[in-house]
């Protein structure tokens, strides 16, 4: 069943039977204010009512990270992103990597950040490709490697991240200089 096509009253009926997909759809509608008045508190509560779902875990992480419907709390956000990452969710893997890279609520750990960015890149995450390009270009937690940086920037570019063109040009210029 495609819950996105249901009218609001039909969707609410499905949620009364604890239908996880219906609850998730209703939570998204409250979160984004689609066909219903935006209510981040209700969205958060609905996402929290769902068990063992990587998308719900990710969205709970988002709520804590941005303070959507709940007080901003990086430690709680990290906990839920980490749960979602265990399902190989590329968005969650990137967020866990970002937490380790930037130290949001956790100690900076560039090795852990690299591990999660690499795992997300194996799942064709454009954001991970770009982050890895930056990491190798700047030598953050790894030996600086412009060829590796170019490889990841090209992967980002080839998968739709067109803003990376300037980075590719910069790396090519640096590589030309180093010859």
């Amino acid at each position: 069943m495609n819950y996105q096509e249901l009218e609001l009253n039909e969707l609410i009926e499905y949620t009364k039977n604890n239908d996880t997909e219906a609850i998730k759809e209703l939570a998204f509608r409250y979160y984004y204010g689609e066909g219903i008045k935006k209510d981040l508190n209700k969205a958060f509560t609905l996402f929290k009512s769902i068990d063992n779902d990587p998308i719900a875990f990710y969205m709970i992480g988002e709520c804590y990270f941005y303070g959507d419907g709940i007080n901003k709390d990086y430690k709680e956000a990290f906990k839920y992103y980490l749960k979602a990452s265990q399902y190989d969710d590329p968005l969650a893997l990137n967020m866990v990597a970002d937490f380790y890279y930037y130290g949001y609520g956790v100690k900076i750990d560039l090795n852990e950040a690299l591990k999660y960015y690499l795992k997300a890149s194996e799942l064709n995450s454009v954001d991970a490709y770009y982050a890895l390009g930056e990491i190798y270009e700047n030598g953050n937690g790894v030996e600086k490697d412009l060829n590796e940086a170019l490889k990841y920037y090209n992967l980002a570019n080839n998968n739709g991240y067109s803003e990376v063109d300037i980075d590719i040009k910069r790396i090519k210029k640096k590589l030309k200089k180093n010859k």
Side-chain angles (χ1 to χ4, degrees):
M1 171 168 296
N2 187 347
Y3 292 97
Q4 293 174 337
E5 294 178 1
L6 292 178
E7 294 295 324
L8 183 60
N9 59 344
E10 294 174 294
L11 184 62
I12 290 170
E13 284 303 311
Y14 281 102
T15 65
K16 291 176 182 176
N17 296 321
N18 289 320
D19 184 317
T20 299
E21 294 303 312
I23 295 169
K24 197 167 24 177
E25 175 61 24
L26 185 58
F28 274 113
R29 288 188 189 184
Y30 276 119
Y31 190 84
Y32 293 110
E34 294 175 353
I36 195 169
K37 185 176 183 227
K38 185 173 185 169
D39 187 330
L40 296 174
N41 291 319
K42 284 184 182 176
F44 177 77
T45 301
L46 287 166
F47 284 126
K48 284 281 284 190
S49 74
I50 301 169
D51 292 325
N52 300 319
D53 185 277
I55 294 170
F57 289 150
Y58 179 82
M59 291 305 298
I60 295 165
E62 290 284 276
C63 290
Y64 278 119
F65 187 77
Y66 293 106
D68 291 342
I70 191 78
N71 290 330
K72 188 181 284 193
D73 185 332
Y74 287 155
K75 289 183 188 299
E76 282 297 303
F78 179 75
K79 182 172 87 176
Y80 282 97
Y81 287 136
L82 195 58
K83 284 182 177 187
S85 77
Q86 293 168 353
Y87 292 85
D88 288 339
D89 180 285
L91 294 173
L93 289 163
N94 275 312
M95 288 305 292
V96 170
D98 284 351
F99 270 68
Y100 282 124
Y101 192 80
Y102 297 107
Y104 299 130
V106 296
K107 184 179 175 194
I108 290 175
D109 186 333
L110 298 179
N111 289 328
E112 283 296 298
L114 183 64
K115 178 177 97 176
Y116 281 94
Y117 283 133
L118 286 169
K119 179 67 176 168
S121 76
E122 291 169 8
L123 299 168
N124 298 316
S125 167
V126 174
D127 293 328
Y129 292 147
Y130 186 78
L132 288 165
E134 285 185 323
I135 287 170
Y136 281 102
E137 179 181 4
N138 299 309
N140 295 334
V142 298
E143 189 171 323
K144 189 175 188 174
D145 186 335
L146 296 179
N147 287 310
E148 197 71 1
L150 183 60
K151 175 183 104 176
Y152 283 111
Y153 284 147
N154 278 325
L155 283 167
N157 188 50
N158 294 340
N159 285 280
Y161 192 53
S162 59
E163 296 85 7
V164 77
D165 285 343
I166 193 165
D167 301 291
I168 291 170
K169 288 175 186 171
R170 183 180 61 250
I171 295 293
K172 285 182 176 179
K173 188 175 180 181
K174 286 180 182 179
L175 285 169
K176 209 177 246 187
K177 252 186 183 180
N178 292 344
K179 282 188 177 181

